[in-house]
Amino acid sequence: MDIVIPLFDRFEPLDAIGPYEILAYVPGATVRFVTAEPGLVQDVSGSLPVHVPTRYSDVERCDVLLVPGGGSFRTMVDDPAFLDWVRRIHTGTRFTTSVCTGSLVLGAVGLLNGLTATTHWDAAADLESYGAVYTPERVVRHDRVITSAGVSSGIDMAVRLAALLTDDVTAQAIQLYTEYDPQPPFDTGSVAKAPAEVLERARTLG
């Protein structure tokens, strides 16, 4: 089982590494990172360079395509060759998925037109500009296309995806092994629950 995650400069680390941590434990799965040209790819904060050895153009098919977000989404949606590649790869995937603003890439290639989909709350209008209908749900599935909301929701999506690729018991075992049992110290993890001053401060972080 071949799982491919494209990385471009200014990617959001947890968007990619969270799902990778879960999906790498799927029996028989190989997770690969790809980029435009082999070499170092820098995360959005500038402190986590990742060496990616494989060109996305060298990948002709995969079972799962997972597009992370962050500032890198701008590079991806502005690259016609990459968007063409996503369209081509999607025709042969079992699942095409996104985390955070990675959903804007799926929107740009026409996979979300008329569908409900999710993304980071601050990118809702951008998502709808591609013909999708934004919902604040953490994970949204339409057959082979799955979108997840901001950053940490990619882990939720990956656990669900692990169940779809294997079975519920295997996915639950992966969740247990990684001890994914969130107990956040504050209940401000969504726009619906965050006070105005927290929302205002959050807008300064991106």
Side-chain angles (χ1 to χ4, degrees):
M1 187 184 305
D2 189 19
I3 300 170
V4 171
I5 304 175
L7 291 186
F8 287 80
D9 281 334
R10 304 193 70 246
F11 74 95
E12 185 69 45
L14 191 59
D15 282 14
I17 303 304
Y20 164 73
E21 177 72 20
I22 298 298
L23 297 173
Y25 290 109
V26 170
T30 299
V31 183
R32 296 191 286 163
F33 295 99
V34 300
T35 191
E37 292 294 334
L40 288 179
V41 178
Q42 194 66 259
D43 78 299
V44 70
S45 299
S47 300
L48 186 66
V50 176
H51 179 73
V52 181
T54 306
R55 292 180 179 88
Y56 71 76
S57 57
D58 291 336
V59 176
E60 296 184 356
R61 69 166 306 280
C62 63
D63 296 291
V64 176
L65 177 65
L66 190 153
V67 183
S72 58
F73 88 86
R74 300 186 187 279
T75 300
M76 292 186 276
V77 299
D78 289 338
D79 184 343
F82 176 73
L83 296 181
D84 285 345
W85 176 80
V86 172
R87 288 189 192 95
R88 186 169 66 253
I89 291 296
H90 172 67
T91 63
T93 63
R94 290 178 63 182
F95 295 99
T96 299
T97 71
S98 66
V99 182
C100 195
T101 50
S103 63
L104 303 185
V105 177
L106 304 192
V109 302
L111 299 185
L112 302 179
N113 192 35
L115 300 178
T116 54
T118 192
T119 189
H120 190 278
W121 53 264
D122 202 31
D126 295 313
L127 180 65
E128 293 199 327
S129 74
Y130 290 111
V133 178
Y134 170 73
T135 174
E137 294 177 57
R138 282 180 69 80
V139 182
V140 179
R141 179 188 175 197
H142 292 284
D143 192 23
R144 297 192 298 122
V145 177
I146 305 174
T147 58
S148 56
V151 193
S152 64
S153 64
I155 300 175
D156 292 22
M157 186 272 289
V159 173
R160 293 194 192 186
L161 183 57
L164 292 169
L165 294 171
T166 57
D167 55 71
D168 287 357
V169 172
T170 299
Q172 290 174 57
I174 294 171
Q175 181 176 345
L176 175 59
Y177 184 78
T178 58
E179 206 165 346
Y180 179 52
D181 185 24
Q183 299 173 28
F186 304 106
D187 191 22
T188 56
S190 74
V191 172
K193 295 185 284 187
E197 63 178 346
V198 173
L199 178 60
E200 181 180 355
R201 181 70 61 84
R203 291 189 187 279
T204 70
L205 300 178

